[in-house]
Amino acid sequence: MSYLILIRHGQSTWNLERRFTGWVDVNLTEIGKLEAKKAGELIKKQNIKISYYYSSLQLRAINTLKIVKESLNDKKNFIQAWQLNERHYGALTGFNKVDMSKRLGEEKVRQLRRSWDLKPDPLNKQSPFHPTNIDTYKDVPLENIPDTESLKDTFIRVTNYYESEIQNNLNKGNILLSAHGNSIRALCKYLFKLDKIQVSNLEIPTGNPLLIEIDKGQKIKSCKYLDHDRAKDLLIF
């Protein structure tokens, strides 16, 4: 058996402001740092040795992972991958979610946020929020930088990376992955074989490690959130 631990980053500055963030590279709030620290302490109590660490290319996921690793007193390197980034919200990027619900209607915004293959309009390449204008992504090939994405698009890039770079390492040891609401939602769809309706209703709480036990045949044997007080009543349970 091996363990795969999935952590959505702690609260970010734009989470707090209820803005569509996507690929904009914002940092953690003080609450987010505390969430990450608690996540590390919860993982430490499991007495699980982590062999491989992964994060997205985004600061909020990277710093969450760094805080967790400090709690574990583990100084080994970790792998950063743009494929684990949050979903790109296109022209919604930067806008407040409540304001957009008033402007477009709650149902339209819900569809744009949670439908399987509906994309927001593309983000203008002149926008300071476009990934090509953010230093974080200067080494990502232009053909891999989106202007907008659906959850389906996010699912394809996340699961392709999981199958090619992460899955085989589960046969060698335990893995901890720090990423985002939609990239983890996409990976949960793959791992738990969720349908489009189930994944659209799936909530991923910030800073709460999801511990998944997987056998050598890549079958899931058990899963649980480590912070039981903050665990959501998810369909996969």
Side-chain angles (χ1 to χ4, degrees), residues 111-129:
Q111 291 175 359
L112 289 169
R113 291 183 66 191
R114 291 300 179 86
S115 67
W116 175 241
D117 53 10
L118 183 64
K119 303 180 187 183
D121 290 337
L123 181 62
N124 189 308
K125 286 185 170 59
Q126 303 306 311
S127 168
F129 299 148

Side-chain angles (χ1 to χ4, degrees), residues 6-8 39 42 205-210 225-228 230-231:
L6 305 179
I7 306 176
R8 181 185 176 189
L42 289 167
T206 56
N208 193 350
L210 179 60
Y225 276 112
L226 297 185
D227 187 349
H228 304 295
R230 297 183 57 238

Side-chain angles (χ1 to χ4, degrees), residues 74-92:
D74 192 341
K75 297 181 180 179
K76 70 169 61 71
N77 293 330
F78 61 94
I79 300 166
Q80 301 174 31
W82 64 266
Q83 292 92 334
L84 300 175
N85 276 13
E86 176 59 289
R87 173 190 171 192
H88 193 303
Y89 278 109
L92 293 175

